[in-house]
């Protein structure tokens, strides 16, 4: 009985424990727009007009996707380091830390009254993040709940969007051979607009949390 109570308490602490983020891209290392565009490749089939890297929110560099009025959708793509098309990809559960549980990114939509960004005149649509494997199959798909409207959602500090692997992995797929991350806007509308993206990373449990889980497993394996 004591072991059971201890296990319940440990699992409660696990639930409250904070997670760490292994950064895939914080957009701070790009020397200029050309360097950004070499890593984040704009999809020419989408309505993206251009992308730049600039200091925007809180003095941090961000990727900015610009699009024209009447846009349908935008997309930019980032190949994970170490992945090879049609050969092998990255296992997101283990490549960046044992037991990785999800992916995170920060985004913001500027309003037409945002100082310095009035020319964008707001933006609308659904922000999305998707993952594809080395054979071009979509294995993970998430759209921000609720339309991002011209009111300036996330401005000026940005929205931290945490996505759980278990929830958003496409049925029948897995994250063992991930090749590419894509981000953008679907169902865009209104005037010329933009999507600001920052701090894309993999969410992993803190070492202390993993230790508690391991100890809990030992308690469960006690002899009867």
């Amino acid at each position: 009985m004591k072991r059971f109570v201890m296990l319940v308490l440990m699992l409660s602490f696990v639930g409250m424990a904070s997670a760490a983020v292994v950064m895939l891209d914080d957009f701070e290392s790009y020397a200029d727009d050309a360097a950004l565009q070499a890593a984040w490749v704009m999809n020419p089939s989408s309505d993206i007009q251009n992308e730049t890297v600039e200091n925007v929110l809180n003095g941090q560099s961000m990727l900015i996707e610009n699009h024209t009025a009447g846009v349908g959708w935008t997309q930019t793509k980032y190949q994970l380091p170490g992945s090879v098309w049609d050969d092998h990809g990255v296992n997101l559960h283990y490549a960046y830390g044992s037991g990785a549980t999800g992916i995170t990114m920060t985004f913001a939509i500027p309003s037409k009254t945002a100082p310095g960004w009035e020319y964008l005149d707001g933006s609308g649509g659904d922000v999305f993040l998707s993952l594809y494997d080395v054979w071009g199959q979509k294995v993970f798909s998430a759209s921000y709940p609720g339309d991002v409207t011209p009111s300036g959602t996330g401005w000026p500090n940005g929205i931290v969007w945490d996505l759980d692997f278990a929830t958003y992995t496409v049925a029948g797929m897995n994250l063992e051979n991930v090749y590419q991350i894509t981000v953008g806007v679907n169902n865009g509308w209104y005037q010329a607009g933009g999507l600001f993206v920052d701090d894309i990373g993999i969410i992993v449990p803190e070492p202390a949390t993993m230790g508690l889980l391991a100890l809990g497993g030992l308690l469960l394996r006690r002899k009867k």
Side-chain angles (χ1 to χ4, degrees), residues 98-157:
S98 181
T101 59
I103 189 168
T104 182
M105 83 172 186
T106 300
F107 73 88
I109 298 289
S111 72
K112 60 184 178 181
T113 59
W117 303 100
E118 297 90 345
Y119 74 93
L120 291 176
D121 201 24
S123 180
D126 305 309
V127 176
F128 70 83
L129 184 152
S130 301
L131 302 173
Y132 290 81
D133 66 16
V134 296
W135 303 286
Q137 302 175 112
K138 183 184 288 188
V139 296
F140 181 97
S141 180
S143 180
Y144 187 75
D147 283 350
V148 177
T149 69
S151 62
T153 300
W155 195 267
N157 298 314

Side-chain angles (χ1 to χ4, degrees), residues 136-198:
Q137 302 175 112
K138 183 184 288 188
V139 296
F140 181 97
S141 180
S143 180
Y144 187 75
D147 283 350
V148 177
T149 69
S151 62
T153 300
W155 195 267
N157 298 314
I159 294 172
V160 178
W161 190 24
D162 293 341
L163 301 167
D164 183 67
F165 284 157
T167 302
Y168 295 100
T169 297
V170 175
M173 297 296 178
N174 60 63
L175 304 179
E176 296 176 0
N177 280 288
V178 178
Y179 176 77
Q180 192 172 70
I181 299 173
T182 69
V183 297
V185 176
N186 272 325
N187 306 315
W189 58 285
Y190 204 58
Q191 302 297 322
L195 169 66
F196 295 5
V197 179
D198 197 11

Side-chain angles (χ1 to χ4, degrees), residues 86-97:
D86 202 25
D87 187 0
H88 65 271
V90 176
N91 187 328
L92 290 188
H93 285 293
Y94 298 101
Y96 300 102

Side-chain angles (χ1 to χ4, degrees), residues 9-169:
L9 288 173
M10 287 179 189
L11 292 177
S12 298
F13 281 121
V14 167
M16 294 185 290
S18 61
V21 174
V22 178
M23 200 60 60
L24 295 178
D25 202 338
D26 60 6
F27 301 97
E28 300 297 329
S29 62
Y30 298 110
D32 50 32
D33 294 343
L36 170 78
Q37 293 162 11
W40 287 87
V41 180
M42 295 180 286
N43 186 339
S45 298
S46 75
D47 297 302
I48 189 169
Q49 185 178 30
N50 59 62
E51 61 182 9
T52 60
V53 58
E54 300 183 45
N55 292 320
V56 184
L57 305 182
N58 304 315
Q60 298 185 86
S61 294
M62 301 184 76
L63 177 153
I64 304 175
E65 292 184 31
N66 294 313
H67 57 73
T68 56
V71 64
W73 63 291
T74 68
Q75 185 187 69
T76 185
K77 303 179 280 188
Y78 175 77
Q79 181 182 339
L80 289 178
S83 64
V84 177
W85 175 253
D86 202 25
D87 187 0
H88 65 271
V90 176
N91 187 328
L92 290 188
H93 285 293
Y94 298 101
Y96 300 102
S98 181
T101 59
I103 189 168
T104 182
M105 83 172 186
T106 300
F107 73 88
I109 298 289
S111 72
K112 60 184 178 181
T113 59
W117 303 100
E118 297 90 345
Y119 74 93
L120 291 176
D121 201 24
S123 180
D126 305 309
V127 176
F128 70 83
L129 184 152
S130 301
L131 302 173
Y132 290 81
D133 66 16
V134 296
W135 303 286
Q137 302 175 112
K138 183 184 288 188
V139 296
F140 181 97
S141 180
S143 180
Y144 187 75
D147 283 350
V148 177
T149 69
S151 62
T153 300
W155 195 267
N157 298 314
I159 294 172
V160 178
W161 190 24
D162 293 341
L163 301 167
D164 183 67
F165 284 157
T167 302
Y168 295 100
T169 297

